[in-house]
Amino acid sequence: MKERAIKKIFKMIKLSLFALSIFLLSGCEFLQGTLSSAQQEKLKKATGSPVYDYKVWYYNGMSGEDMSQISSGASENYSEQTLCINFGQKVALSAVAPSGKMIVNYTDSDGIASSKTITSLKGHFSSDYTSFYLDMSPVTKLLGGSTFSATVDIKMSGFVCAEGEQDGRPVNAFEFSSLQVRPLYDSISYDYSTVGFSKASKFKIPLKGKISLKDGNYKITGKDSLSNEYKFNVSTDGNNLFLSPDFTEKPANLTNIKLKISNILAEGSGTSYSKDFSLTFMDHLIVIDGLEDSNWTSDSVIAAEDKEGDTAALGADGVIYNTDCDITKFAVANDDDYLYLAIYGSLASSWGDGFGFMISKDHSSDAAYTSGKEKFAIADTVGYGRESLAHGKADFYMYHKPQDGSIGAWVEAADSGENTAREISTSVLAAKNSSGTFMEYAIPLTELASAGISAGATVYLAGIFSAHWDAGIFAADIIPDSAAATLNESHSSVTFNFQNALKYTIK
């Protein structure tokens, strides 16, 4: 009996030693795993839990900017490419640097999908030690040229609680999958219209992510090439930066100003960004840069709306499909020098696709029109998409293919309705970097005057998306719809009635 009791004691000692070894091997993490959900939550509050509250991290760069020169060791850049991880409690590192890795998936300079693992993680704490600013420059230095975005998986550990009763207890590892890395800016060079210039006017710099200004609104000073100074008030609505002039006299046409905007605090960055910008002032109503100027929303603009989902084109298999491009708005305006056109919507296009614009003046007072002679017919039947459409009945025609930047434009002679089109492609302005939701163009009024279109003239305009597919060329979307008197089943031929198009009088 005594021997059996001794064996039982030895067995209990063995089990105790085994449990102790597990505790020594896994420490606090083992105990945390045995806690109830309520106890786990209480422990998280006591020790802190690493979180990043956003799906996207915006770096201090623009689309296509070469980020490879940013060095993680350079102090001026180190604090400007960080991701803020919040712990909720004061924490510290158990070693010199955190352990873990970042797996970066991106497209390299040769257009090849690539992956890189970064194991040397660096960063620094916020002043109150409740947040850690992870250095993301090893990620951003992979970006440049046509490669300006990436997806990152992050796993990082080595943090311990640094306050209260849990001081020294390990904090759970930070893990984040498929973090989207995107540039904060589309551009750092902008043109601005000085039409309506005053101290109350605002120049907008659009942003791809939400921001705040670290210390609120403030003033900055820009300089032109002669070192003349221009002061601005800087503000934000969270989606855009605004520069309000703190001077009364508008800069001369084509004045270029260099200035640095600081204190830009992007969501999730933790540390504020600074960026150099270039502003060129223009004395026209609309600046053709692919960005929607505030003047596009003025009362002088005439626009036509178009319903969504009314797109179609014939596929190579003979079946009609909806296209990805859908024009939803067509707008027109003018100043003393240009007639401006703009389209809105989902403007995705493939390599051969293009956008077309036709302008017809009002022929209702022409004797040939009232007598019904064919050469003044306002309705015309075309196989739309063919660039030879320029030699049809429209007084102005142009096409634009965003994928290769090609533009064709023609005007008809004012004194003839015959095929006397003259090419004016080089004088038509189109934004080089048109977005997927907005495109704009400028047509010199001096060119339109040769077609009899000048101040006081009433014109009729139509916009068309031309899908260039293997099966042929198709008018997939027309705006306004009323401009299409007839449209055949395959959308390969359309009859335009310009009297039902967008009506506009040149001012």
Side-chain angles (χ1 to χ4, degrees):
M1 183 69 93
K2 185 184 290 186
E3 184 178 345
R4 189 181 302 169
I6 292 173
K7 285 183 178 181
K8 187 173 182 181
I9 291 172
F10 274 119
K11 186 175 182 180
M12 291 176 64
I13 291 173
K14 275 186 172 183
L15 289 172
S16 298
L17 289 173
F18 176 74
L20 179 61
S21 67
I22 293 294
F23 175 80
L24 292 174
L25 287 172
S26 58
C28 297
E29 293 182 3
F30 172 77
L31 289 180
Q32 290 177 17
T34 65
L35 299 176
S36 67
S37 58
Q39 290 172 321
Q40 289 271 16
E41 188 61 32
K42 185 177 180 180
L43 187 59
K44 278 185 179 181
K45 290 181 179 179
T47 60
S49 181
V51 294
Y52 182 75
D53 291 326
Y54 313 98
K55 294 180 179 179
V56 182
W57 174 74
Y58 293 96
Y59 63 88
N60 191 24
M62 69 172 183
S63 302
E65 182 178 2
D66 183 7
M67 304 298 294
S68 63
Q69 302 304 312
I70 293 194
S71 168
S72 60
S75 59
E76 66 271 21
N77 294 318
Y78 179 68
S79 63
E80 293 195 352
Q81 299 295 343
T82 59
L83 181 147
C84 178
I85 301 167
N86 294 308
F87 287 84
Q89 297 289 336
K90 187 175 181 180
V91 294
L93 278 168
S94 58
V96 175
S99 58
K101 61 184 178 181
M102 293 190 288
I103 301 175
V104 187
N105 295 297
Y106 66 105
T107 303
D108 66 17
S109 57
D110 296 322
I112 300 173
S114 303
S115 180
K116 182 170 183 177
T117 300
I118 299 167
T119 55
S120 178
L121 304 184
K122 299 178 181 179
H124 62 279
F125 287 103
S126 61
S127 58
D128 61 2
Y129 285 85
T130 63
S131 298
F132 184 77
Y133 301 146
L134 176 63
D135 177 19
M136 295 289 283
S137 61
V139 175
T140 57
K141 70 188 302 183
L142 300 172
L143 309 178
S146 60
T147 304
F148 53 85
S149 61
T151 301
V152 182
D153 297 333
I154 305 173
K155 185 170 184 178
M156 183 173 62
S157 60
F159 295 91
V160 296
C161 182
E163 64 180 352
E165 295 180 358
Q166 305 299 327
D167 190 8
R169 183 186 291 276
V171 176
N172 289 338
F174 174 73
E175 296 188 45
F176 202 111
S177 298
S178 300
L179 174 68
Q180 303 300 303
V181 173
R182 300 289 184 267
L184 185 59
Y185 319 100
D186 271 323
S187 177
I188 54 175
S189 298
Y190 295 96
D191 295 330
Y192 287 109
S193 169
T194 54
V195 173
F197 177 88
S198 71
K199 292 186 71 172
S201 60
K202 288 184 178 181
F203 304 118
K204 180 174 70 174
I205 297 177
L207 304 168
K208 298 178 76 69
K210 287 189 176 296
I211 69 152
S212 59
L213 295 175
K214 183 180 178 181
D215 298 316
N217 299 349
Y218 68 103
K219 293 181 183 291
I220 57 172
T221 300
K223 293 184 178 181
D224 62 18
S225 59
L226 299 176
S227 295
N228 295 314
E229 294 187 346
Y230 303 83
K231 292 185 178 180
F232 298 86
N233 294 300
V234 181
S235 60
T236 181
D237 64 357
N239 298 301
N240 306 279
L241 282 168
F242 293 102
L243 302 180
S244 299
D246 195 23
F247 49 92
T248 56
E249 186 175 346
K250 73 177 181 180
N253 188 39
L254 301 181
T255 297
N256 178 262
I257 298 173
K258 307 291 185 183
L259 69 169
K260 182 186 288 291
I261 302 180
S262 304
N263 294 333
I264 303 170
L265 194 60
E267 280 187 337
S269 64
T271 50
S272 59
Y273 296 162
S274 297
K275 201 70 177 174
D276 293 323
F277 289 88
S278 173
L279 311 179
T280 300
F281 291 91
M282 309 282 287
D283 58 8
H284 288 111
L285 179 69
I286 302 295
V287 178
I288 305 300
D289 56 5
L291 302 172
E292 185 186 4
D293 299 344
S294 59
N295 286 332
W296 274 121
T297 61
S298 68
D299 293 337
S300 62
V301 175
I302 301 298
E305 304 287 341
D306 189 42
K307 65 182 179 181
E308 296 183 10
D310 61 340
T311 67
L314 188 68
D317 56 2
V319 177
I320 296 178
Y321 295 94
N322 286 328
T323 65
D324 291 332
C325 181
D326 191 356
I327 305 173
T328 57
K329 182 180 177 181
F330 182 26
V332 58
N334 79 277
D335 57 22
D336 292 339
D337 298 308
Y338 290 97
L339 180 73
Y340 301 98
L341 308 178
I343 52 174
Y344 302 73
S346 176
L347 306 180
S349 60
S350 60
W351 190 255
D353 298 339
F355 297 89
F357 303 94
M358 302 168 68
I359 302 175
S360 175
K361 61 187 178 184
D362 188 352
H363 290 284
S364 60
S365 62
D366 296 334
Y369 172 82
T370 56
S371 63
K373 288 186 178 179
E374 183 181 357
K375 69 177 183 179
F376 282 115
I378 286 182
D380 189 28
T381 300
V382 299
Y384 181 69
R386 300 181 184 278
E387 282 68 39
S388 61
L389 174 63
H391 307 104
K393 300 301 188 294
D395 296 291
F396 168 84
Y397 168 72
M398 72 170 283
Y399 74 86
H400 174 222
K401 296 181 178 180
Q403 295 296 335
D404 63 9
S406 62
I407 299 173
W410 295 264
V411 292
E412 291 281 351
D415 56 356
S416 173
E418 302 295 340
N419 296 337
T420 55
R422 177 172 59 85
E423 187 169 5
I424 62 166
S425 300
T426 56
S427 61
V428 172
L429 305 179
K432 293 180 180 179
N433 298 313
S434 296
S435 73
T437 58
F438 175 79
M439 294 183 186
E440 58 183 355
Y441 308 89
I443 307 159
L445 288 181
T446 52
E447 297 285 10
L448 292 179
S450 67
I453 299 173
S454 55
T458 297
V459 293
Y460 299 86
L461 305 96
I464 313 97
F465 170 61
S466 173
H468 289 225
W469 288 18
D470 291 342
I473 301 171
F474 306 93
D477 194 13
I478 297 170
I479 185 168
D481 286 332
S482 56
T486 60
L487 184 61
N488 70 350
E489 185 178 358
S490 66
H491 284 225
S492 60
S493 179
V494 56
T495 299
F496 287 97
N497 187 336
F498 287 103
Q499 286 182 303
N500 293 332
L502 175 60
K503 185 178 180 180
Y504 181 79
T505 300
I506 307 292
K507 299 174 179 61

